[in-house]
Amino acid sequence: MNARSIDGREIVLKPEALDDLRKRLRGRVLEPTDAGYDDSRTVWNAMIDRRPAAIAQCIGAADVVACVQFARQHDLLLCVKCGGHNIAGLATADGALMLDLSHMRGAWVDAQNRIVHAQGGCLLGDVDRETQLHGLAAVLGFVSLTGITGLTLGGGMGYLTRRWGWTVDSVAGMDIVTADGSLVRANDRENADLFWGLRGGGGNFGVVTGVDYELFPVGPEIVGGVVAWPASEAQQVLELYREMAEESPSELTLVALLRPAPPAPWLPKEWHGNPIVGLLACYSGPIAEGERLVAPIKSLGKPIGDVLMRRPYAQMQSLLDATQPKGRRYYWKSEYLPRIDSGLCEKAIANAAKIPSPHSAVVLFQIDGALNKLAADHSPVGNRDARYLLNITSSWENASQDDVNIAWARDAWNDMKSFSTGGNYINFLTEDESPERVRAALGINIGRLADVKAHWDPQNFFRTNRNISPAPVQQRPN
Ligand SMILES: Cc1cc2nc3c(=O)[nH]c(=O)nc-3n(C[C@H](O)[C@H](O)[C@H](O)COP(=O)(O)OP(=O)(O)OC[C@H]3O[C@@H](n4cnc5c(N)ncnc54)[C@H](O)[C@@H]3O)c2cc1C
């Protein structure tokens, strides 16, 4: 079978070699003709359509070790898939051996020490489900189907970020299979340089088989949900967003979104597809205080839908899932913002009015608080000056509509990028982003990251990622 070497050359992988791999693993090895290959190889963004030479569905760290050793032995390109949510499709590569970790989704809670150990293939919802049994939560993201490991290796942010920082700020340790095929523990005491690099340096250092997250008391009920108004109300809604976001305690996170109304049951049918503005809120402190704090949102103007209420935290964590299904085409642009300027709001409204698809949006996430209190080099996620995140999310169904939808996102971004801190979220970078954008995302930490890479992966074996190797990076095969 044809495959790719780690530096992009075509190589031949003999059937005996794959048989040998099968013998070394407890999980399945899939070839392109096997049932399940397509399901396993595809990722969330349908713009990405790559065909690994083979897929190893690992069921534990020992399988991962065997795969890394096998790939080294055969000079085979390797890629790693957790949730497959990366918009640039970094989890998959043509001709590679793909490690599909979707069978490694166990999460074990130590409630007394407030730690969860989650396997490297968990989705966010897997971890929330186990931790919420104990009224605890890790700092994870806004969509429950996202993979924990890709999110964490790039930094991570969600409704609890204002209280406890980037996801990586409360990671206690990781287990990782490194380039020499050994299983290594990384935390503050063991392999501290590697641990530093893992907290924002992407998949550059190896295959993470497990993550330990510190847990915090959250829920099981919170005050959360969304209120929507006609887009004609956007100016006053964004003004309220700006005022409340500046003053509110870190228990409250607000997200503003401008988009065509989705066909959600809580929105009147006649509004579906028409432009709306929404405010998403999550208050994770005492319920009565949350109800008091969100009252100005609920009483603003004449909403067309209001599902901002007391609800389970786990439900809040999956509220946006239906708006981001696997299999659509996606193209994003993001920038961190130091504040919400009135000029930015005007531009957000104007650009949202030009959205060419029913699924696209201009979104403003509030993230300020704990993350701003640590030093810029605390971990490579950096961006400690970020207080908001602008995400221009273009999403559509058919390839024939690619140009118009990509052009909309790029134009909107060009119109609004002057409001940026200069940094952007590495986990939101699309396939076509330049190395300069990766450098902007990693900021001052890139030099130290390259040193850690040179120590732990001098041959740049792990390269299907936002690569920070000091050695020249080979073009990734598409
Ligand atoms: C709908 C949607 C919502 C999102 N919401 C948020 C959010 O709220 N907050 C946030 O911070 N981000 C969010 N993101 C961005 C998300 O963090 C990134 O897309 C992230 O890469 C997804 O992780 P994954 O494991 O699903 O990715 P994958 O596509 O599986 O992998 C992404 C990268 O991580 C590497 N990787 C994955 N698993 C491992 C592993 N075990 N060991 C080593 N490397 C590994 C892959 O090789 C690849 O380079 C969202 C993305 C989507 C599509």
Side-chain angles (χ1 to χ4, degrees), residues 79-257:
C79 59
V80 189
K81 180 181 169 193
C82 174
H85 258 203
N86 187 274
I87 187 157
L90 296 179
T92 179
D94 283 332
L97 172 64
M98 176 196 262
L99 273 57
D100 172 1
L101 304 189
S102 61
H103 294 256
M104 291 172 57
R105 287 175 58 183
W108 296 269
V109 177
D110 174 350
Q112 203 172 357
N113 292 306
R114 290 191 178 167
I115 292 279
V116 60
H117 176 75
Q119 277 187 304
C122 278
L123 306 184
L124 308 191
D126 302 333
V127 177
D128 282 332
R129 189 169 154 81
E130 298 304 322
T131 57
Q132 277 294 282
L133 267 182
H134 306 272
L136 297 169
V139 179
L140 298 172
F142 296 95
V143 172
S144 79
L145 303 172
T146 309
I148 59 157
T149 316
L151 176 137
T152 303
L153 291 172
M157 49 107 202
Y159 293 117
L160 304 180
T161 289
R162 295 200 65 215
R163 296 181 77 179
W164 294 297
W166 299 121
T167 298
V168 287
D169 294 342
S170 51
V171 166
M174 296 195 199
D175 297 316
I176 173 169
V177 178
T178 54
D180 63 359
S182 45
L183 178 62
V184 167
R185 178 80 184 146
N187 58 28
D188 278 338
R189 298 170 309 284
E190 298 162 88
N191 304 306
D193 62 330
L194 177 61
F195 185 48
W196 180 87
L198 285 167
R199 287 175 290 161
N204 269 284
F205 307 105
V207 186
V208 173
T209 56
V211 185
D212 291 349
Y213 297 95
E214 204 182 315
L215 299 174
F216 304 96
V218 172
E221 278 203 320
I222 50 88
V223 174
V226 59
V227 179
W229 300 261
S232 55
E233 309 282 312
Q235 210 176 341
Q236 53 166 327
V237 172
L238 291 188
E239 187 52 35
L240 179 71
Y241 173 67
R242 196 156 78 99
E243 280 170 17
M244 283 186 68
E246 283 298 317
E247 289 163 11
S248 59
S250 61
E251 287 85 351
L252 181 63
T253 294
L254 297 173
V255 179
L257 26 94

Side-chain angles (χ1 to χ4, degrees), residues 335 337-339 344 347 390 412-422:
E335 292 294 334
L337 310 172
R339 71 190 75 83
L344 172 92
K347 285 181 182 291
L390 165 69
W413 172 67
N414 275 317
D415 194 35
M416 290 191 273
K417 67 182 178 191
S418 62
F419 294 93
S420 172
T421 60

